[in-house]
Amino acid sequence: MRKILKSPTGLIGTLLLALVLFVTIFGPWITPYDPQAFDARARLEGPSLAHWLGTDQYGRDLLSRLLSGAPATVAFGLGATVLGVGVGSVIGVIAGVAGGRTDSVIMRVLDGMLAMPELLFTLLIVTFLGGGTTQAMLAVAVTFTPGMARISRSAVLSVRTREYVLAAQARGESGAWIVGREVLPNALGPIIVEATIRVSFAIMIGATLGFLGLGAQPPSTEWGLMVAEARQFMFRNPWCVAVPGLAIAVTALGFNLFGDALRDAFDPKRGH
Amino acid sequence: MSHFTLSRRHVLMSLAAASAMPGATFAQGTAPKAGGTLKISHSTRIATLNVLSLSGPAEYPCIDMLYSGLTRMGLDNQPHADLATEWSANDDATEFTFVLREGVTFHDGTPFTADDVVATYEAILNPDIPSAARSVLTMVESVEAVDDLTVKFVLSAPFADLPYSTAHANARILSRAALEGDLSKLDTTANGTGPFKLETYDTARMVRLVKNDAYYKPDQPYLDAVEMMLFPDLAAETANFLSGETDVMLTVQQADFARIAESAGIEAQQVGSGRYVCVVMRQDQEPWNDVRVRKALGMAVDRQLLVDIILEGLGRPAYDSIVAPELEYATDKPEIAYDPEGARALLAEAGYPDGLKATLVASDRPAIRAQTAIALKQTAAAAGFDLEIKTMPHDTYLAEEWMKGDFYVGYWGMQPTIDATYNLLLTSEASYQDTEWKNAEFDALIAEGRSTVDPELRAEIYAKAQALELEEKPYIVPFFEDVLTASRGTTEEWHVAPISRFYFIEDVWMDKA
């Protein structure tokens, strides 16, 4: 951890992430207004003392909406990543450990899936499953699976022929024990780093789906949907687009920088 | 509202027939310049050009350019001469004779005759062919060609408003050849008698129409071509219009109206209209089969708030009747105050003491549908309605939800008469009957109103029908929306009729040096 905080990117990433996590956990409790309450007299206002970040087209307080939307938005990214990473790494580990024909079959199928652009693939799945937050999360998880499988497989492959694994095999340990105690712990580093960076992608794809009307449904305060709903009013009050847009950017940046720093920390070649 | 006796109506009709078309006079006195391509932007897809059945907001201007009808509604909300130059009725309004215009040809050069009129009306009245105009023409018993340029309509019951019905936007004249051929070709091709001919039909991008040199009005149309350009993205549509890429915005969103109206070199128009958003509640389904639930929802709508927020004040509150106050025989509708407490009590009485959960579907086009849903959720929450909103792309909505779902947001334009308004949606045989309300007493009143000639009796009958609509509340109608459109300053004579089915684009010209 100290290593991460030493680098400037790591420090900034950690700070941003801490801020985002704080808002995610406590946000809905500290909203100054009801995030859904209309106020016909205070529509599309810029920041003021009453409304720190301004109001949207229905006169709803933007700060309150931002705070209340944080859990949905961040949880979406985390949930989709955990699902995708979980399934992807299991597949990757199986492929890496099994090797041979199983490995080739699994990897060729995944290569095929990887060939499709991420957003397009997600859209395809959402179109198939129908709109909604759960469907969108599943879609992002499925999209993440092939990439994660590839990364975990390569991590496993690099570990599989190490001396300590060979030693375990020589001791006559069972395959499962070797995978669980020797291979996985040593292959986990790259997987965690990749997962952290992927959270930011998941949040952005989730926001994109919300923006396209395929993810969260109004009047949800999911940030991507907030941008989409307010877009029509962009010229009258730029704040109602900028506020949720910036929030998405900050969150994505936080996860990204933190993931980068994490990678550097794990990488022995860059260590001092 | 004017109340003419039938004979005076005849005089009025022939006056209308003899007078010039609206918009053909030029306020500034400048002679219109010929030439130019008019680019019209719109945000809903032109999914079909089938004149018999289409109903899309951007499809109406297309058929108004491609086809002509016997009569055509003017900007004054009255029927005017189109392919028929004059018409007359017998004394009890059961027989109408239309005299057709001479020398009119279809776009492919074949001459237009009374036989085409007969073929068209037979197709409209044929129950096997989907047609939107049938519901206003059901009283037509037979249509016959007296000679090449005279058509006689025989009605089963008196109906003085027949010239309004023949002006129905979907009752445009097709050629007999087109109707006897493959009808699915009507979706993508058009052989009409209108001022413009179809050149390109690309439903995903652009529909291009070119001048019909053989159009019956001398020297018209002035434009060489019209391009209907699709902008699925509203912000992009506005940006393109403001930057001069397009000449006309067919529909301006309320959110952008003030900004566009203030821009230099742009003329924005606000036309008071009976266009409305309605909440469809299927009445063969729980819980909407209980009128108390419908009434409770009506009381849980803060109409003034919706007008202020969603329409930006560009409209007026409505009180759950689809009849616009401008229509002849419209009654004054009592104001329905926002009363969440009363609504909650009524809901409890209907058997929902803990409130009611429902999923309200709203298409994403136009944006006003989803906005209405959001505002409704908010104001109805205080009355115990827990509405979950589901938005979907417009095409998905049309395919999966419209006319099928039990609770969704509908959106309709104004109709020329009470008869047409009710026969579009509310009578059992209505063209787009989607509530399953099907009230026999109401049907009988509308049928009676249709065949009644005496204006005072008609007023009485229509008052009863409207009272029944208010009492039974088949729809929630929160507001009437003004029609908003905008054109570049160089585009002259761009008009939208309040019923937004008629555009008179043959009168439009461009003042580009």
Side-chain angles (χ1 to χ4, degrees), chain B residues 453-471:
Chain B
V453 178
D454 179 36
E456 269 170 44
L457 273 177
R458 274 190 110 181
E460 217 168 277
I461 293 163
Y462 283 135
K464 275 189 209 161
Q466 288 167 76
L468 197 59
E469 184 196 9
L470 293 180
E471 195 185 307

mmCIF file of all heavy atoms in Angstrom, chain B residues 453-471:
data_model
loop_
_atom_site.group_PDB
_atom_site.id
_atom_site.type_symbol
_atom_site.label_atom_id
_atom_site.label_comp_id
_atom_site.label_asym_id
_atom_site.label_seq_id
_atom_site.Cartn_x
_atom_site.Cartn_y
_atom_site.Cartn_z
ATOM 1 N N VAL B 453 -78.778 16.066 -38.503
ATOM 2 C CA VAL B 453 -78.467 17.231 -39.326
ATOM 3 C C VAL B 453 -78.637 18.529 -38.533
ATOM 4 O O VAL B 453 -77.842 19.457 -38.647
ATOM 5 C CB VAL B 453 -79.375 17.237 -40.584
ATOM 6 C CG1 VAL B 453 -79.099 18.463 -41.428
ATOM 7 C CG2 VAL B 453 -79.160 15.961 -41.385
ATOM 8 N N ASP B 454 -79.657 18.559 -37.688
ATOM 9 C CA ASP B 454 -79.954 19.778 -36.942
ATOM 10 C C ASP B 454 -78.831 20.101 -35.949
ATOM 11 O O ASP B 454 -78.524 19.303 -35.059
ATOM 12 C CB ASP B 454 -81.273 19.578 -36.186
ATOM 13 C CG ASP B 454 -81.620 20.804 -35.377
ATOM 14 O OD1 ASP B 454 -81.325 21.912 -35.863
ATOM 15 O OD2 ASP B 454 -82.143 20.650 -34.254
ATOM 16 N N PRO B 455 -78.196 21.269 -36.095
ATOM 17 C CA PRO B 455 -77.027 21.584 -35.253
ATOM 18 C C PRO B 455 -77.340 21.583 -33.761
ATOM 19 O O PRO B 455 -76.495 21.195 -32.956
ATOM 20 C CB PRO B 455 -76.598 22.962 -35.715
ATOM 21 C CG PRO B 455 -77.477 23.356 -36.830
ATOM 22 C CD PRO B 455 -78.518 22.310 -37.066
ATOM 23 N N GLU B 456 -78.561 22.044 -33.390
ATOM 24 C CA GLU B 456 -78.854 22.097 -31.959
ATOM 25 C C GLU B 456 -78.961 20.704 -31.357
ATOM 26 O O GLU B 456 -78.465 20.437 -30.269
ATOM 27 C CB GLU B 456 -80.135 22.876 -31.716
ATOM 28 C CG GLU B 456 -79.844 24.347 -31.492
ATOM 29 C CD GLU B 456 -81.097 25.186 -31.479
ATOM 30 O OE1 GLU B 456 -82.085 24.756 -30.851
ATOM 31 O OE2 GLU B 456 -81.076 26.260 -32.113
ATOM 32 N N LEU B 457 -79.606 19.815 -32.128
ATOM 33 C CA LEU B 457 -79.706 18.432 -31.665
ATOM 34 C C LEU B 457 -78.333 17.792 -31.583
ATOM 35 O O LEU B 457 -78.013 17.059 -30.637
ATOM 36 C CB LEU B 457 -80.570 17.626 -32.634
ATOM 37 C CG LEU B 457 -82.079 17.655 -32.386
ATOM 38 C CD1 LEU B 457 -82.809 16.876 -33.456
ATOM 39 C CD2 LEU B 457 -82.379 17.076 -31.007
ATOM 40 N N ARG B 458 -77.514 18.099 -32.574
ATOM 41 C CA ARG B 458 -76.154 17.540 -32.587
ATOM 42 C C ARG B 458 -75.382 18.006 -31.365
ATOM 43 O O ARG B 458 -74.678 17.221 -30.722
ATOM 44 C CB ARG B 458 -75.408 18.020 -33.838
ATOM 45 C CG ARG B 458 -75.643 17.181 -35.050
ATOM 46 C CD ARG B 458 -74.689 17.606 -36.130
ATOM 47 N NE ARG B 458 -73.687 16.567 -36.366
ATOM 48 C CZ ARG B 458 -72.728 16.686 -37.251
ATOM 49 N NH1 ARG B 458 -72.593 17.783 -37.960
ATOM 50 N NH2 ARG B 458 -71.865 15.715 -37.433
ATOM 51 N N ALA B 459 -75.498 19.285 -31.073
ATOM 52 C CA ALA B 459 -74.773 19.830 -29.921
ATOM 53 C C ALA B 459 -75.174 19.074 -28.655
ATOM 54 O O ALA B 459 -74.341 18.741 -27.814
ATOM 55 C CB ALA B 459 -75.075 21.321 -29.779
ATOM 56 N N GLU B 460 -76.467 18.792 -28.564
ATOM 57 C CA GLU B 460 -76.987 18.097 -27.392
ATOM 58 C C GLU B 460 -76.402 16.672 -27.305
ATOM 59 O O GLU B 460 -75.971 16.220 -26.243
ATOM 60 C CB GLU B 460 -78.504 17.999 -27.550
ATOM 61 C CG GLU B 460 -79.298 18.149 -26.286
ATOM 62 C CD GLU B 460 -80.766 18.316 -26.634
ATOM 63 O OE1 GLU B 460 -81.188 19.456 -26.944
ATOM 64 O OE2 GLU B 460 -81.456 17.280 -26.648
ATOM 65 N N ILE B 461 -76.416 15.997 -28.456
ATOM 66 C CA ILE B 461 -75.917 14.614 -28.492
ATOM 67 C C ILE B 461 -74.426 14.558 -28.159
ATOM 68 O O ILE B 461 -73.982 13.754 -27.341
ATOM 69 C CB ILE B 461 -76.169 14.004 -29.890
ATOM 70 C CG1 ILE B 461 -77.668 13.844 -30.125
ATOM 71 C CG2 ILE B 461 -75.451 12.674 -30.035
ATOM 72 C CD1 ILE B 461 -78.034 13.657 -31.581
ATOM 73 N N TYR B 462 -73.671 15.481 -28.760
ATOM 74 C CA TYR B 462 -72.230 15.473 -28.497
ATOM 75 C C TYR B 462 -71.928 15.882 -27.060
ATOM 76 O O TYR B 462 -70.942 15.434 -26.474
ATOM 77 C CB TYR B 462 -71.497 16.378 -29.492
ATOM 78 C CG TYR B 462 -71.346 15.740 -30.856
ATOM 79 C CD1 TYR B 462 -71.599 16.444 -32.021
ATOM 80 C CD2 TYR B 462 -70.947 14.405 -30.966
ATOM 81 C CE1 TYR B 462 -71.462 15.848 -33.266
ATOM 82 C CE2 TYR B 462 -70.815 13.809 -32.203
ATOM 83 C CZ TYR B 462 -71.073 14.531 -33.358
ATOM 84 O OH TYR B 462 -70.935 13.932 -34.563
ATOM 85 N N ALA B 463 -72.787 16.727 -26.481
ATOM 86 C CA ALA B 463 -72.594 17.091 -25.078
ATOM 87 C C ALA B 463 -72.756 15.847 -24.201
ATOM 88 O O ALA B 463 -71.994 15.619 -23.259
ATOM 89 C CB ALA B 463 -73.597 18.168 -24.683
ATOM 90 N N LYS B 464 -73.752 15.023 -24.546
ATOM 91 C CA LYS B 464 -73.957 13.790 -23.784
ATOM 92 C C LYS B 464 -72.751 12.862 -23.918
ATOM 93 O O LYS B 464 -72.308 12.248 -22.943
ATOM 94 C CB LYS B 464 -75.202 13.063 -24.301
ATOM 95 C CG LYS B 464 -76.494 13.535 -23.689
ATOM 96 C CD LYS B 464 -77.615 12.584 -24.122
ATOM 97 C CE LYS B 464 -78.946 13.298 -24.172
ATOM 98 N NZ LYS B 464 -79.929 12.585 -24.989
ATOM 99 N N ALA B 465 -72.243 12.746 -25.156
ATOM 100 C CA ALA B 465 -71.096 11.862 -25.389
ATOM 101 C C ALA B 465 -69.892 12.328 -24.580
ATOM 102 O O ALA B 465 -69.185 11.528 -23.967
ATOM 103 C CB ALA B 465 -70.759 11.828 -26.878
ATOM 104 N N GLN B 466 -69.687 13.652 -24.557
ATOM 105 C CA GLN B 466 -68.538 14.169 -23.813
ATOM 106 C C GLN B 466 -68.722 13.989 -22.312
ATOM 107 O O GLN B 466 -67.767 13.711 -21.587
ATOM 108 C CB GLN B 466 -68.305 15.644 -24.166
ATOM 109 C CG GLN B 466 -67.754 15.811 -25.568
ATOM 110 C CD GLN B 466 -67.804 17.253 -26.048
ATOM 111 O OE1 GLN B 466 -67.000 18.073 -25.642
ATOM 112 N NE2 GLN B 466 -68.750 17.564 -26.915
ATOM 113 N N ALA B 467 -69.967 14.136 -21.873
ATOM 114 C CA ALA B 467 -70.229 13.918 -20.449
ATOM 115 C C ALA B 467 -69.930 12.466 -20.078
ATOM 116 O O ALA B 467 -69.360 12.177 -19.020
ATOM 117 C CB ALA B 467 -71.687 14.260 -20.140
ATOM 118 N N LEU B 468 -70.275 11.567 -20.978
ATOM 119 C CA LEU B 468 -70.033 10.144 -20.740
ATOM 120 C C LEU B 468 -68.520 9.863 -20.685
ATOM 121 O O LEU B 468 -68.041 9.097 -19.846
ATOM 122 C CB LEU B 468 -70.678 9.333 -21.868
ATOM 123 C CG LEU B 468 -70.886 7.845 -21.616
ATOM 124 C CD1 LEU B 468 -71.757 7.635 -20.396
ATOM 125 C CD2 LEU B 468 -71.517 7.195 -22.841
ATOM 126 N N GLU B 469 -67.791 10.530 -21.585
ATOM 127 C CA GLU B 469 -66.332 10.351 -21.590
ATOM 128 C C GLU B 469 -65.740 10.826 -20.257
ATOM 129 O O GLU B 469 -64.893 10.143 -19.669
ATOM 130 C CB GLU B 469 -65.704 11.143 -22.750
ATOM 131 C CG GLU B 469 -64.206 10.930 -22.872
ATOM 132 C CD GLU B 469 -63.523 11.976 -23.732
ATOM 133 O OE1 GLU B 469 -64.171 12.976 -24.102
ATOM 134 O OE2 GLU B 469 -62.328 11.795 -24.028
ATOM 135 N N LEU B 470 -66.229 11.980 -19.778
ATOM 136 C CA LEU B 470 -65.695 12.502 -18.518
ATOM 137 C C LEU B 470 -66.044 11.590 -17.353
ATOM 138 O O LEU B 470 -65.240 11.379 -16.446
ATOM 139 C CB LEU B 470 -66.248 13.907 -18.258
ATOM 140 C CG LEU B 470 -65.773 14.983 -19.233
ATOM 141 C CD1 LEU B 470 -66.399 16.318 -18.868
ATOM 142 C CD2 LEU B 470 -64.258 15.089 -19.216
ATOM 143 N N GLU B 471 -67.241 11.041 -17.399
ATOM 144 C CA GLU B 471 -67.714 10.213 -16.305
ATOM 145 C C GLU B 471 -66.948 8.887 -16.248
ATOM 146 O O GLU B 471 -66.596 8.403 -15.176
ATOM 147 C CB GLU B 471 -69.197 9.969 -16.544
ATOM 148 C CG GLU B 471 -69.968 9.436 -15.385
ATOM 149 C CD GLU B 471 -71.395 9.135 -15.834
ATOM 150 O OE1 GLU B 471 -72.030 10.033 -16.400
ATOM 151 O OE2 GLU B 471 -71.833 7.987 -15.648
#
